[in-house]
Amino acid sequence: MAEKFQSKSGFILASIGAAVGLGNALRFPGLCAKYGGGAFLVIYAIALVALGLPLLNAEVALGRKIKAGAPRCMQSLLKGSRAKIAERMGWASCINSVFTALIYAGLAGWIIATAVTAVPLCLTAPALTDTQISGFFFNDILSARNDGVISGFSLLVAGCIIAAWVLMFLCLKGGAKSLSKAAKFTVAIPITLLMFLAVRGLFYDNAGQALAALFVPDFSKLSSPELWLTALGQVFFSLSIVVGIMPAYGSYLPEGTNIFKCSLAIAAADFFVSVLASVVLFTTLYGCGLQSQIGASGIITAFAVYPVAISRLFGGATALNGVVGALFYSSLAMMAVQSAVSMLEAFLNPFSEQRGKPKKRIAAIVCLCGAPITLIFATTAAPTVVDINDRFINFYNVLLLGIAECLIIGTSKQTCALADEINKFTKKLKMPKRAFGASIKFLSPAVLISLTLYEIFRLATQGLCYPLWLQIAFGWGLSFSVFTLPLLLVTKITPRNIWRRKKLNP
């Protein structure tokens, strides 16, 4: 029997868990600080409606209509040889998600290690300088190096990475039912804690200054092309679209579900958590006098800036600071694990179907193979590896995959039928067909192509400041794999495959 979410709320929770991740909690607030606060928020909100919602609805509707993951969904839109190319692009998005899951698993290990050491760090914080607290994780735990050389290994971080993989497998093995159950914790607990920290931040003396810096637009920033491209691009990364997740989740969707209303709920939750996390970051760091350290790097914010702020959160109540720190990082770990699980699900769903093998067994193999690979994140080269991985897998590849997906959907004769699928069970609130077509065919490709051209120009003028071997091993090499491995996965359906599928799904 095909997997299904037990209810509409289960689908929404699982989808929110996929969309809401470390990018919302860490990267988004930094981008607000860099690009003029309210100016960035306004442009992002408009882009969320104009660009993000149409693609999100399209992917979910495709999944429900075809009852399959991204490869078959993409294949169904085109005919002949173009269908094979579309299927390969679907597989490329799934493979890219596997590599992204490896990054999230490594970061989850970092976060769990920080949660474990939060209480001891806060207890000793009065005797430490801000610089010592800020460098605690990278210097004392990881012994990180900026040159990418591997000269040390952290057993603590390695153990935490393995723990993250165990949690991921437990979430994956039960299929759609486990995904929705896990999301009840990985969504509700982090949001609750963020709300607590936001309320605490409002009691700082300069909370008003912090909120003004966040919400009052700096209109001088609007003349910056980089602001517009970054805000528009963040939508694609934040909603977990063009990476194969939403078609897989859509295939689990119960018949009769109002896709448009569900997508609105997912987008609204994504925006709410992003703004809530921004309130936490701005009020906390302003309250602790650390506003000058707000930056666009989520990694620096999480492991260098937040530890200083948390150690000062309740003044001399060091034990209380430690408990809040442990809870905060535990919540971030939940977000990272849920994001990694969603990324793996994007691959496991179609691969299990194509190969005719139980998804639980494939999940076990992926986790057993992935865990040793991600131990690179426990070495001294880890920060450099994460930075390279994130740039190539989560940025360059997503841009190319997004362009490909928009071209496939936009040139398909089924675009109007897809809008009908979105509105199939709606009553009053519907997805406008013309706006849907314009967004998929013109707006989204234009934004993604502009971002790609801008990044090509930046690379040509500035280059990459990483060691060449690391670029090849963890950057260019992985990107090449994403777009070449699908050639091995696109196979003809044989009678044997059909027989095995029927045996598995009577």
Side-chain angles (χ1 to χ4, degrees):
M1 184 177 291
E3 291 186 58
K4 290 288 182 184
F5 286 115
Q6 298 298 306
S7 64
K8 178 182 71 175
S9 60
F11 163 73
I12 293 175
L13 274 174
S15 299
I16 290 174
V20 174
L22 298 182
N24 302 77
L26 301 174
R27 186 171 186 265
F28 188 95
L31 293 176
C32 285
K34 183 178 180 180
Y35 295 110
F40 182 85
L41 284 174
V42 170
I43 297 172
Y44 179 82
I46 294 171
L48 188 66
V49 174
L51 304 176
L53 265 177
L55 263 178
L56 176 63
N57 276 275
E59 291 191 353
V60 175
L62 264 174
R64 186 177 70 180
K65 182 179 180 181
I66 307 302
K67 300 291 188 295
R72 277 184 56 197
C73 285
M74 293 295 104
Q75 181 190 39
S76 70
L77 292 170
L78 301 177
K79 302 295 183 182
S81 60
R82 295 172 67 208
K84 283 293 183 186
I85 296 173
E87 184 184 4
R88 287 167 188 157
M89 286 299 101
W91 278 116
S93 67
C94 295
I95 294 169
N96 197 71
S97 289
V98 173
F99 290 153
T100 304
L102 299 181
I103 301 172
Y104 274 108
L107 290 177
W110 288 13
I111 296 168
I112 294 170
T114 307
V116 170
T117 57
V119 173
L121 176 63
C122 287
L123 290 175
T124 58
L128 302 175
T129 65
D130 288 351
T131 302
Q132 289 174 315
I133 297 172
S134 178
F136 178 74
F137 177 78
F138 289 118
N139 296 335
D140 298 348
I141 296 180
L142 207 55
S143 300
R145 298 176 56 141
N146 295 324
D147 55 8
V149 173
I150 298 176
S151 60
F153 185 79
S154 171
L155 291 176
L156 171 62
V157 174
C160 292
I161 290 173
I162 298 300
W165 278 103
V166 172
L167 291 173
M168 288 159 58
F169 175 71
L170 293 176
C171 292
L172 286 167
K173 72 172 187 176
K177 189 175 180 181
S178 291
L179 291 171
S180 57
K181 281 186 176 181
K184 292 179 182 178
F185 299 97
T186 57
V187 172
I189 294 176
I191 290 177
T192 300
L193 189 57
L194 283 174
M195 291 177 69
F196 167 77
L197 291 174
V199 171
R200 169 67 185 94
L202 296 178
F203 284 93
Y204 284 115
D205 292 337
N206 54 357
Q209 182 184 356
L211 294 176
L214 173 60
F215 291 110
V216 176
D218 181 356
F219 292 108
S220 66
K221 299 284 187 180
L222 293 177
S223 61
S224 168
E226 189 177 352
L227 161 64
W228 288 85
L229 289 174
T230 303
L232 296 173
Q234 177 65 15
V235 169
F236 295 94
F237 308 125
S238 183
L239 280 179
S240 292
I241 49 181
V242 308
V243 290
I245 295 175
M246 293 307 169
Y249 280 15
S251 69
Y252 302 153
L253 198 58
E255 197 68 17
T257 303
N258 186 327
I259 290 177
F260 189 51
K261 284 182 68 175
C262 288
S263 297
L264 286 174
I266 295 165
D270 178 81
F271 185 69
F272 170 74
V273 174
S274 296
V275 173
L276 181 64
S278 300
V279 171
V280 172
L281 180 71
F282 274 67
T283 57
T284 301
L285 296 188
Y286 267 79
C288 297
L290 300 171
Q291 58 267 33
S292 62
Q293 297 189 35
I294 300 178
S297 171
I299 300 296
I300 298 299
T301 299
F303 300 102
V305 179
Y306 262 135
V308 180
I310 289 173
S311 67
R312 296 178 176 181
L313 199 60
F314 294 100
T318 55
L320 182 57
N321 292 339
V323 170
V324 172
L327 290 173
F328 175 72
Y329 281 100
S330 296
S331 294
L332 288 184
M334 290 182 190
M335 286 184 172
V337 167
Q338 180 67 39
S339 295
V341 166
S342 302
M343 294 291 176
L344 290 178
E345 186 67 23
F347 172 78
L348 294 174
N349 174 299
F351 190 78
S352 171
E353 179 186 348
Q354 188 207 50
R355 299 298 176 181
K357 295 184 181 296
K359 192 165 71 174
K360 183 177 177 181
R361 184 190 304 172
I362 299 173
I365 294 172
V366 170
C367 290
L368 287 172
C369 294
I373 294 172
T374 50
L375 291 181
I376 185 70
F377 297 115
T379 68
T380 55
T384 305
V385 172
V386 168
D387 204 18
I388 295 173
N389 278 176
D390 188 58
R391 179 173 291 275
F392 280 85
I393 303 301
N394 279 342
F395 187 56
Y396 297 161
N397 286 7
V398 168
L399 289 178
L400 297 177
L401 291 169
I403 293 170
E405 181 172 311
C406 289
L407 292 176
I408 291 168
I409 299 176
T411 58
S412 171
K413 294 181 180 180
Q414 300 184 47
T415 306
C416 290
L418 203 54
D420 291 332
E421 180 69 23
I422 294 168
N423 294 325
K424 191 173 181 181
F425 298 102
T426 59
K427 294 179 181 179
K428 294 182 179 180
L429 195 62
K430 295 180 179 290
M431 168 66 75
K433 286 188 179 182
R434 288 186 179 179
F436 174 76
S439 177
I440 299 290
K441 293 180 180 180
F442 306 110
L443 287 177
S444 291
V447 168
L448 290 166
I449 290 171
S450 298
L451 269 168
T452 303
L453 293 175
Y454 177 83
E455 186 59 24
I456 291 173
F457 173 77
R458 195 198 66 78
L459 278 175
T461 55
Q462 300 177 24
L464 292 172
C465 56
Y466 309 115
L468 182 60
W469 79 272
L470 284 175
Q471 287 188 45
I472 295 172
F474 298 103
W476 300 109
L478 290 182
S479 288
F480 180 77
S481 299
V482 165
F483 294 100
T484 54
L485 285 177
L487 295 173
L488 303 176
L489 292 170
V490 177
T491 57
K492 293 181 179 180
I493 297 177
T494 64
R496 183 184 177 189
N497 286 341
I498 294 173
W499 177 79
R500 293 177 72 180
R501 287 179 192 175
K502 287 182 178 179
K503 185 178 179 181
L504 273 172
N505 302 304

